[in-house]
Amino acid sequence: MSSLLVIKPDNYYGTNVLSALFEKIVINYDDTITAIATPPGRGAIGIIRVSGSKALAITDSIFTPLRAKKLSERKTHTLTFGKIKNAEMIIDEVLIGIMLGKSSFSGEDTVEIYCHGGSVLLQQILNLIVNKGARLAQPGEFTRRAFVNGKIDLTQAEAVADLINAPTELARRAAVSQLEGNLRKPLNEIREILINILADLEAEIDFPDDISDSSNKNQLLISQLNKIKNKTNLLLKNADTGRILHDGFQIVIAGKPNAGKSSLLNILASEERALVTDIPGTTRDTLEVDVNIEGFPVRFIDTAGLRTARGKVEKHGIARAKHMISASDMVIWISDISKKTPTAKPVLPDEINDNKKVIWVWNKCDLPAKQTKNFFQKINEIFPSVKISAITGSGINELHNLIAEKLHKKKILADDDVVLMRVRHINLLRKVLNLINCSLKSLKSNTMSELIVMDIRDSLNAVGEITGDFSTEDLLDKIFSDFCIGK
Ligand SMILES: Nc1nc2c(ncn2[C@@H]2O[C@H](COP(=O)(O)OP(=O)(O)OP(=O)(O)O)[C@@H](O)[C@H]2O)c(=O)[nH]1
Ligand SMILES: [Mg+2]
């Protein structure tokens, strides 16, 4: 699709200061869409959604209510029992909910058909609806319409997807907070201040003679810009935590062959996922397991033992392990405590470019330790370390705690805490912060107002891009393509 600018109908960039910023293009969302909203497979109930101006008429044409009233004669938010028919053939007995116009999720007439949850049956009803004139919905199109119809902003639309995809309770809480508008509110406040600043600066440029006390004016401007800076910093405060909640945290388990990497993965996964033998070089490929660590979605990755490769397959496995190490958020370096380390200092692969991302795990502590006191001390000075046995399970709780500590668990405090979860939001807000800092510098050095106006406009656009007040079709396509069909 081409890169068109989408302006929401209720957009209030109404001031003449800003009107020149946008070219208004109205996108046609007039057709009626439909989709199965429940997951594939068998279930007690299946749901089909229909949304658009012909939703009621189309559904009426295949539905016979138990009592006389047609759907189009019923009030909003009512349920009607009856039969879906193809000509005279009964397809299913169903309950139908209707939500009309602005009072529906999408902001337009919406019908939900609750039928029995069989895939053939659902497909049949869907086909009937399409034959009567509805179009199959794109992924996330119901939510996209809610956005276009001004029911929610883009942060809330994204929160819908994040809520559905939330891998842990903590991620769900963060998504609900965003859905409730806890990100939208501070962004709107920032936008209001930016609009006011822009209007003042434009007036100053257009009518320079009317400006009386310019030093006072500058002070006011600086204090407004600092206000934005504080609000933006507050939003960015939990960005690291948010990114982990959204994208997960990758921990690679690495070490020499036979150190017990796969055994540790199995104990963390609470099941026998990886093959364990006493032959060094058992693991060749990477193996991933997702675990919830105190609310954070953590992916543990078992890797091939690092040594001089013997053969082509092992060589590939080791290359893959090294790649995973460099791309990871954290490395558990696992070392066999029952074997004497051949070097006086710890030697780690070059791919671990930051000691801060390492937790040193001494494994096999059920066996006699063969390390010198000196070596233990050296490790403790450089890395957080823990002694475990992947056979008996001892020390695993301590390892859990060390990981949780690194995940900044304490940063999420209350339900309404704003946690930026998407890289898109984080990058745009960092851009706002940079631009505001530039404006503050410009003001202090008495740079021309025109240049400050440009920075403020760019900040306004960046905030608008987060909320969707300023967005392109390409951006919307990208965001909504991650949604499931029917949402
Ligand atoms: N005594 C004892 N043996 C262990 C422990 N952890 C693993 N082992 C044994 O060590 C051997 C190697 O374990 P793995 O988990 O396959 O080791 P690995 O690091 O994945 O080895 P590669 O895949 O070959 O690199 C197996 O015989 C395990 O049973 C432990 O805590 N104590
Ligand atoms: Mg292994």
Side-chain angles (χ1 to χ4, degrees):
M1 233 188 208
S2 62
S3 184
L4 301 178
L5 199 61
V6 180
I7 300 294
K8 290 181 357 189
D10 65 338
N11 183 298
Y12 78 90
Y13 282 120
T15 68
N16 51 6
V17 178
L18 299 162
S19 56
L21 281 172
F22 312 116
E23 183 191 351
K24 199 162 182 161
I25 294 169
V26 180
I27 292 184
N28 188 3
Y29 282 96
D30 270 357
D31 47 1
T32 296
I33 53 170
T34 185
I36 298 170
T38 37
R42 284 188 309 162
I45 290 172
I47 301 175
I48 294 170
R49 275 179 148 176
V50 194
S51 177
S53 55
K54 294 194 184 124
L56 291 176
I58 288 174
T59 316
D60 263 335
S61 70
I62 58 166
F63 178 62
T64 310
L66 185 68
R67 295 188 214 297
K69 265 191 180 174
K70 289 158 70 178
L71 295 173
S72 43
E73 291 162 3
R74 301 221 54 194
K75 285 190 186 140
T76 185
H77 290 78
T78 51
L79 286 172
T80 309
F81 180 72
K83 289 173 182 159
I84 296 280
K85 289 184 181 171
N86 182 6
E88 282 315 303
M89 183 171 68
I90 297 169
I91 306 294
D92 194 12
E93 290 188 343
V94 303
L95 203 55
I96 294 186
I98 59 169
M99 287 139 281
L100 302 180
K102 284 275 170 205
S103 64
S104 78
F105 170 70
S106 62
E108 54 193 23
D109 288 355
T110 303
V111 170
E112 282 183 3
I113 303 172
Y114 311 108
C115 58
H116 293 100
S119 52
V120 172
L121 163 64
L122 279 157
Q123 197 58 50
Q124 274 232 1
I125 298 176
L126 187 74
N127 289 347
L128 279 176
I129 295 167
V130 169
N131 288 340
K132 295 291 178 183
R135 160 173 75 73
L136 289 175
Q138 297 290 317
E141 197 170 353
F142 294 88
T143 314
R144 187 167 178 160
R145 287 184 173 210
F147 162 69
V148 170
N149 290 326
K151 296 277 302 184
I152 51 176
D153 79 345
L154 205 48
T155 65
Q156 290 169 300
E158 287 171 309
V160 171
D162 293 342
L163 187 56
I164 291 169
N165 295 329
T168 64
E169 167 60 14
L170 217 51
R172 180 202 65 75
R173 270 171 49 186
V176 164
S177 167
Q178 196 170 308
L179 186 60
E180 290 298 301
N182 286 328
L183 176 55
R184 188 181 69 171
K185 279 175 223 150
L187 288 175
N188 279 346
E189 285 164 17
I190 291 174
R191 194 176 64 166
E192 296 262 359
I193 304 173
L194 285 167
I195 288 173
N196 287 337
I197 293 176
L198 201 52
D200 284 350
L201 286 173
E202 292 266 356
E204 198 178 311
I205 293 165
D206 291 345
F207 311 103
D209 298 341
D210 292 354
I211 306 301
S212 45
D213 187 351
S214 74
S215 86
N216 241 354
K217 197 112 200 156
N218 259 15
Q219 278 314 314
L220 192 68
L221 209 55
I222 288 172
S223 90
Q224 283 179 311
L225 288 172
N226 277 325
K227 220 179 195 178
I228 296 175
K229 206 173 145 178
N230 293 341
K231 283 181 185 289
T232 311
N233 273 326
L234 206 65
L235 286 174
L236 284 168
K237 195 182 70 173
N238 291 329
D240 275 356
T241 310
R243 191 201 56 80
I244 294 169
L245 287 178
H246 189 262
D247 300 336
F249 192 75
Q250 293 224 341
I251 303 183
V252 167
I253 305 173
K256 301 255 178 262
N258 242 11
K261 299 178 293 302
S262 303
S263 305
L264 176 60
L265 183 90
N266 288 342
I267 206 163
L268 289 166
S270 309
E271 57 177 319
E272 295 294 309
R273 289 294 302 276
L275 197 66
V276 169
T277 77
D278 57 2
I279 305 163
T282 301
T283 304
R284 300 300 182 93
D285 210 347
T286 52
L287 183 70
E288 301 178 351
V289 168
D290 292 330
V291 179
N292 177 342
I293 299 232
E294 311 213 5
F296 286 92
V298 176
R299 175 162 290 178
F300 287 100
I301 304 168
D302 183 22
T303 56
L306 301 179
R307 65 175 174 186
T308 310
R310 296 159 198 192
K312 212 171 165 180
V313 179
E314 192 173 356
K315 195 173 162 196
H316 278 299
I318 290 175
R320 193 166 279 200
K322 288 184 170 173
H323 169 74
M324 290 311 233
I325 287 172
S326 58
S328 66
D329 295 304
M330 186 192 281
V331 175
I332 288 181
W333 183 262
I334 182 159
S335 184
D336 185 343
I337 203 166
S338 70
K339 281 210 174 102
K340 194 160 170 14
T341 314
T343 52
K345 276 201 240 157
V347 181
L348 294 183
D350 292 344
E351 286 72 17
I352 302 181
N353 44 22
D354 180 4
N355 279 347
K356 277 197 222 119
K357 72 179 198 179
V358 177
I359 291 181
W360 188 288
V361 171
W362 291 112
N363 188 32
K364 308 196 186 180
C365 70
D366 53 297
L367 300 176
K370 294 266 174 68
Q371 313 297 325
T372 62
K373 240 186 178 170
N374 216 350
F375 197 78
F376 275 130
Q377 218 166 353
K378 232 170 229 152
I379 295 300
N380 283 341
E381 279 163 16
I382 311 173
F383 310 103
S385 71
V386 58
K387 289 179 186 167
I388 66 156
S389 167
I391 295 271
T392 67
S394 82
I396 296 297
N397 280 347
E398 284 87 332
L399 176 59
H400 247 255
N401 293 343
L402 269 185
I403 296 168
E405 237 172 71
K406 287 229 171 195
L407 288 169
H408 314 290
K409 186 185 142 221
K410 292 179 187 67
K411 276 196 181 171
I412 295 187
L413 305 166
D415 276 354
D416 57 356
D417 255 8
V418 182
V419 185
L420 293 184
M421 292 203 290
R422 294 194 173 221
V423 176
R424 186 181 89 80
H425 300 168
I426 296 167
N427 287 345
L428 283 164
L429 270 181
R430 286 198 177 131
K431 184 176 170 184
V432 171
L433 201 57
N434 278 341
L435 288 162
I436 296 301
N437 280 331
C438 283
S439 301
L440 280 166
K441 257 194 206 152
S442 306
L443 267 174
K444 280 173 193 157
S445 61
N446 283 328
T447 310
M448 282 187 316
S449 298
E450 282 86 346
L451 293 179
I452 303 174
V453 163
M454 274 167 63
D455 285 346
I456 301 294
R457 263 193 199 157
D458 286 348
S459 312
L460 195 55
N461 288 351
V463 174
E465 230 180 284
I466 302 176
T467 57
D469 287 293
F470 179 66
S471 58
T472 63
E473 275 293 295
D474 286 344
L475 173 69
L476 297 184
D477 285 348
K478 191 165 175 294
I479 289 172
F480 287 101
S481 64
D482 285 343
F483 277 64
C484 32
I485 289 183
K487 186 62 225 175

